[in-house]
Amino acid sequence: MDPIRIAVVGMGKIARDQHLPAIAGNGAFSLAATVSPHDPGMAGIPHHRGLEALLEEGPAVDAVALCTPPQVRYDLAAMALKRGIHVFLEKPPGATLAEVAALSARADKVGATLFAGWHSRFAAGVAPARAWLAERTVERVSVVWREDVRVWHPGQAWIWEPGGLGVFDPGINALSIITHILPRPFFLKSATLVLPENRAAPIAADLEFRDTAGAPISMDLDWRQTGPQSWDIIVETDAGTLKLSNGGAVLSIPSGTEHSEDHEYSGLYGRFATLIRGGRSDVDTDPLRLVADAFLRGRREITEPFHD
């Protein structure tokens, strides 16, 4: 079959670090173009300053990967879907649940694939963790997701604006994992969101969830970490403790520890190609729904200003 001609829209850090190498390493795709109003693009690859210009002037594309901030993603996705072009949405898939639902309905109507790309679900330890937990009773879950925003999002103002999610931008990765591996649904009981007085989005959050059998799930999110970063999920069960560390790359269970190389984005693009070839979509909004619940129900604490 001919490769899927794909354009990358938004040429920031995540596009260059993850999307472009994953596309280059997957024979199901060929990079047809890049789009960015600021980045000059890549040598030998057609480049446009806007998606509309690409769609009007070419080259022709079959799919787009939207790596822009979530606040502007709806209009871009709708523009592509209107032409029957398949759409890969970086996480989070949108700024609101309603706009993602609207995009999903539009994709179904035109017969195009819409894919919400939760990359952390493709970390090496996640699939075996899900399989191991399926046969156990979960008693308690603890999530600690702490990193330094200055390292991972230097100078990115959009993450502090409404719709940018603040500390939930990385925290939603943890939610994407636990919504995938835990055998029972869970829901928010309480939340405290810590907002710097000069920012519109939280820099830290403490959340308490409960699953449908009553097992407590706690989550500690913080963007002020210095030194080693913490991306850990600990699940206590009737058969011992499971731990996913390093964002899901390392799995520890009572029988031992497994270390594997990162393959998150190669896994994402493998999934995207399968969906396109099968004429299907995958638009799971559970992680975003839990973030929306935190903003809806959470108590706000204002702290000192934060400066990059």
Side-chain angles (χ1 to χ4, degrees), residues 39 65 73 84 89 125 143 173 180 192 206 228 236 277 283 290 306:
D39 189 280
R73 211 170 287 156
L89 300 168
V143 178
N173 292 332
H180 188 62
T192 300
D206 289 310
E236 299 174 25
R277 301 301 193 201
V283 194
L290 291 167
F306 176 79

Side-chain angles (χ1 to χ4, degrees), residues 114-133:
L114 184 67
F115 179 40
W118 300 111
H119 65 84
S120 291
R121 289 182 174 177
F122 290 83
V126 172
R130 176 184 168 101
W132 191 84
L133 289 171

Side-chain angles (χ1 to χ4, degrees), residues 133 138 140-141 181-182 233-237 240-243:
L133 289 171
V138 172
R140 181 177 299 273
V141 181
I181 67 172
L182 295 181
I233 297 170
I234 298 172
V235 185
E236 299 174 25
T237 79
T241 299
L242 175 149
K243 181 177 181 181

